Amino acid sequence: MYVARLSHPADYDGWREAARTAVELGIPPEAMSFAVGEDVANLFAEPLPARPQAPARRVTVAKAFPELAGRVVCHSDPQRFDLAYRLLWRLQSEKGLLDVASDDDVIAAVEMDKAVRRDSHKMKAFVRFREIEVEDGTRHYIAWFEPTHHIVERTAPFFVRRFTGMVWSILTPKRSAHWDGADLTFGPAASVEDRPKDDDMEALWLTYYASIFNPARLKVKAMQAEMPKKYWHNLPEAQLIEPLIRGAEAASRRMLETAPTLPSFRHERQAERDEMAKVAAEPRTGNQPATIEAAREEAKACKACPLWEPATQTVFGQGPDHAPVIFVGEQPGDQEDLAGEPFIGPAGRVFDQALATAGIDRAQAYVTNAVKHFKFTPRGKRRIHQKPNVGEVRACRFWLEIERDIVKPKLIVALGATAAASVLGKSVTIRDTRSRLIDLDPTTKLLVTVHPAYILRLPDPEAQARETEAFAADMGLVRRTVPEIALA
Ligand code: URA
């Protein structure tokens, strides 16, 4: 029988080194044991010999094993190191062992893995620091936490990332972790007496907790599942839970009685739709310019909504006076505002790429926007795009009507919901209208698709690739509907 001594209860590095040596030496699991620190080992066990220079066998493991073993050795079960070693031993001849969900060793390891993850999650959620002042005036933050498993080492880096600028210690009955602003170190177990009792932070935390407590959303069972009672005695806010629960019903009634009557989201959407429908029904007035050039000249002085003022210039549509297709975007972006031309920035590049994929010649199309001024909020040196509101779309719809009257396209392509709302005079969803040819009048059809900026904003590359393809497919439909727009 052999024994390997590990330096602390979650000493994965020590276990890995010893386990590797033992496999290389051909020591089967029943002849191998592990002991932590000075713990008494099997009286007849000999220390594990040094790693052989020329091992009889090479250790190989499944890819998922190191991570699994790393968590298993953090479990509080005294058999954890033996179990991890037995798995390592068996994996040398049973390559697919970890996929055998009915294997007793695999079942035990998976259960330990889950328990350790859960415990680590609880530590992240329930550690509460208390502020203490040490002699030289520096502030030190101390937390007391009682984990079920040996998770302090693996969870402490989370607190380093969260509280990098603070000097803190997390004390637990298993281990303690200390961060001095530069180094993370671990020490022995602490006792509950080491924990400081009260501080200002705690008072603040209590006030905060009581103020975010929403009696109308009280779900006692769910709350106890997330914040099990065993953690309550270390959470300052826990002392508030019982009285808050008791007072919840009355507080909830008071909330209902005194709640402001804000319109619901559905009502707001309805009001928006009504507004759009009204705009669609309004007759157009005034002398209309006969050419795009004349309209562009007139639009330079447009002050129909407040967006003209902070913007650099009106960005009018571009393209032949009698193009067979009008593409309508939302509003010019930062680069379009400076250059005075639509769709030349990042969204424009996505648009150009989709046209190229579909074999469409942009020079033969008329490209414009529902709103002709850039709407933004300044942030430092940057101008951050803001979505135009119904009133702004409404005010600018006049110009889109003029463009439609002059160009008389066979097809209008609305890029995004704002463009679709402006063309139709009512709000629609992209989901309900996309990729279908809709009759606007006997000679004009409408195709609704996404805005190219939507594709740019997708964080997941796979979704981006999928949406780029779908957008190019919509452009393919444009080309089939209006073949004269194809690249020569
Ligand atoms: N987004 C738009 O909707 N239009 C542009 O011209 C540029 C970006």
Side-chain angles (χ1 to χ4, degrees), residues 200-267:
D200 295 348
M201 283 241 313
E202 187 159 309
L204 250 180
W205 176 246
L206 289 179
T207 314
Y208 166 74
Y209 187 80
S211 70
I212 60 164
F213 181 86
N214 183 346
R217 299 192 136 193
L218 180 65
K219 291 199 181 88
V220 179
K221 279 224 180 81
M223 196 163 135
Q224 289 180 353
E226 255 313 295
M227 198 197 274
K229 269 202 154 177
K230 85 173 222 199
Y231 297 107
W232 287 22
H233 65 283
N234 288 321
L235 297 174
E237 69 269 31
Q239 59 181 278
L240 294 177
I241 295 175
E242 310 257 21
L244 283 171
I245 289 176
R246 260 184 271 115
E249 207 184 305
S252 173
R253 222 178 305 115
R254 266 199 314 278
M255 262 174 75
L256 280 178
E257 281 161 13
T258 56
T261 51
L262 290 176
S264 71
F265 179 67
R266 196 160 53 81
H267 282 106

Side-chain angles (χ1 to χ4, degrees), residues 119-181:
D119 204 28
S120 184
H121 170 73
K122 299 288 181 210
M123 180 169 170
K124 290 175 192 169
F126 298 137
V127 156
R128 299 280 181 271
F129 287 105
R130 291 153 193 262
E131 186 180 356
I132 55 162
E133 197 168 349
V134 281
E135 269 164 23
D136 60 1
T138 52
R139 306 232 157 246
H140 196 145
Y141 296 84
I142 307 231
W144 171 255
F145 183 73
E146 291 170 35
T148 307
H149 303 291
H150 304 287
I151 54 160
V152 174
E153 273 89 353
R154 61 177 306 112
T155 317
F158 165 85
F159 293 94
V160 171
R161 289 192 295 278
R162 262 290 171 84
F163 303 107
T164 315
M166 281 164 43
V167 173
W168 53 255
S169 298
I170 300 174
L171 311 179
T172 89
K174 297 203 182 315
R175 294 274 279 168
S176 52
H178 310 280
W179 171 249
D180 64 5

Side-chain angles (χ1 to χ4, degrees), residues 150-452:
H150 304 287
I151 54 160
V152 174
E153 273 89 353
R154 61 177 306 112
T155 317
F158 165 85
F159 293 94
V160 171
R161 289 192 295 278
R162 262 290 171 84
F163 303 107
T164 315
M166 281 164 43
V167 173
W168 53 255
S169 298
I170 300 174
L171 311 179
T172 89
K174 297 203 182 315
R175 294 274 279 168
S176 52
H178 310 280
W179 171 249
D180 64 5
D183 290 313
L184 178 64
T185 51
F186 297 95
S191 110
V192 72
E193 273 70 53
D194 301 332
R195 134 195 188 189
K197 299 292 172 295
D198 254 324
D199 66 359
D200 295 348
M201 283 241 313
E202 187 159 309
L204 250 180
W205 176 246
L206 289 179
T207 314
Y208 166 74
Y209 187 80
S211 70
I212 60 164
F213 181 86
N214 183 346
R217 299 192 136 193
L218 180 65
K219 291 199 181 88
V220 179
K221 279 224 180 81
M223 196 163 135
Q224 289 180 353
E226 255 313 295
M227 198 197 274
K229 269 202 154 177
K230 85 173 222 199
Y231 297 107
W232 287 22
H233 65 283
N234 288 321
L235 297 174
E237 69 269 31
Q239 59 181 278
L240 294 177
I241 295 175
E242 310 257 21
L244 283 171
I245 289 176
R246 260 184 271 115
E249 207 184 305
S252 173
R253 222 178 305 115
R254 266 199 314 278
M255 262 174 75
L256 280 178
E257 281 161 13
T258 56
T261 51
L262 290 176
S264 71
F265 179 67
R266 196 160 53 81
H267 282 106
E268 279 186 5
R269 297 281 296 169
Q270 189 55 50
E272 204 172 281
R273 279 194 205 107
D274 293 348
E275 174 86 350
M276 279 299 191
K278 227 167 52 205
V279 176
E282 269 171 16
R284 273 177 262 144
T285 53
N287 286 335
Q288 294 204 2
T291 63
I292 289 293
E293 203 39 55
R296 181 179 292 115
E297 264 318 293
E298 260 187 53
K300 280 183 182 165
C302 182
K303 293 184 179 167
C305 80
L307 296 184
W308 69 272
E309 200 163 19
T312 309
Q313 56 190 316
T314 306
V315 180
F316 209 70
Q318 242 187 9
D321 269 23
H322 302 296
V325 178
I326 294 185
F327 289 96
V328 186
E330 181 191 85
Q331 59 158 338
D334 185 84
Q335 295 188 26
E336 288 81 9
D337 168 80
L338 298 173
E341 292 171 39
F343 281 107
I344 55 150
R349 284 191 281 282
V350 175
F351 177 51
D352 284 345
Q353 183 58 53
L355 293 184
T357 307
I360 293 174
D361 182 1
R362 176 169 166 170
Q364 296 196 54
Y366 186 85
V367 180
T368 190
N369 282 299
V371 170
K372 308 274 193 280
H373 282 113
F374 178 34
K375 181 175 180 180
F376 61 92
T377 43
R379 190 175 302 153
K381 287 187 184 157
R382 297 179 58 212
R383 302 188 299 172
I384 310 296
H385 164 275
Q386 292 278 294
K387 200 175 164 56
N389 63 32
V390 175
E392 289 148 1
V393 174
R394 173 189 180 172
C396 218
R397 195 160 186 262
F398 170 80
W399 293 113
L400 185 61
E401 295 278 3
I402 288 177
E403 289 171 304
R404 276 175 68 175
D405 277 355
I406 297 169
V407 177
K408 295 194 176 47
K410 288 185 187 163
L411 177 67
I412 297 178
V413 182
L415 303 168
T418 303
S422 179
V423 174
L424 288 166
K426 64 176 185 185
S427 299
V428 289
T429 64
I430 300 290
R431 200 187 46 237
D432 290 342
T433 49
R434 181 174 186 175
S435 309
R436 285 194 286 115
L437 292 171
I438 299 165
D439 285 324
L440 282 177
D441 59 49
T443 55
T444 322
K445 292 190 188 305
L446 169 70
L447 175 71
V448 178
T449 183
V450 294
H451 193 286

